[in-house]
Amino acid sequence: MLIKAGADVNHRNGQHETPLECATMFRHFRIAHMLIEAGADFRADASFGRPIVNSLVHTSNQILLYEDSELWRTKVFELLETKGVDVEQLQRKVQEQKRKRNQERER
């Protein structure tokens, strides 16, 4: 409804978060899909400095909160691929970054 009324899908709140970033943090993949379809910039940096698309892909290893989450996460990944994102490559990159962080913590 707000999107149809012309709301800015890339607006940042007081904590510098975009709607897509918030949807991703809370694993609301149906909303993330809707925002990307409406033009949300998934390549923009999140409030913590990494691209939002990395956060979307990172969720592939997290517990899903909603009954239809897996379906909508898959749809988000398919939509990202139509927009030129190599989801599998990005998943490998995110896993490698996670592995490196874990190694650094163990030192």
Side-chain angles (χ1 to χ4, degrees), residues 29-89:
F29 297 106
R30 178 179 279 176
I31 294 170
H33 190 274
M34 179 181 56
L35 289 165
I36 294 167
E37 282 189 321
D41 186 0
F42 55 87
R43 288 187 168 88
D45 283 345
S47 59
F48 52 84
R50 290 190 309 251
I52 295 169
V53 70
N54 287 24
S55 297
L56 279 164
V57 171
H58 179 72
T59 62
S60 62
N61 297 321
Q62 295 178 349
I63 296 170
L64 299 175
L65 303 175
Y66 308 100
E67 189 174 302
D68 63 352
S69 290
E70 184 62 40
L71 169 71
W72 282 99
R73 180 171 57 192
T74 300
K75 288 183 178 196
V76 166
F77 288 177
E78 290 170 351
L79 180 58
L80 290 172
E81 287 175 346
T82 68
K83 296 185 176 291
V85 175
D86 185 340
V87 172
E88 286 184 26
Q89 178 184 10

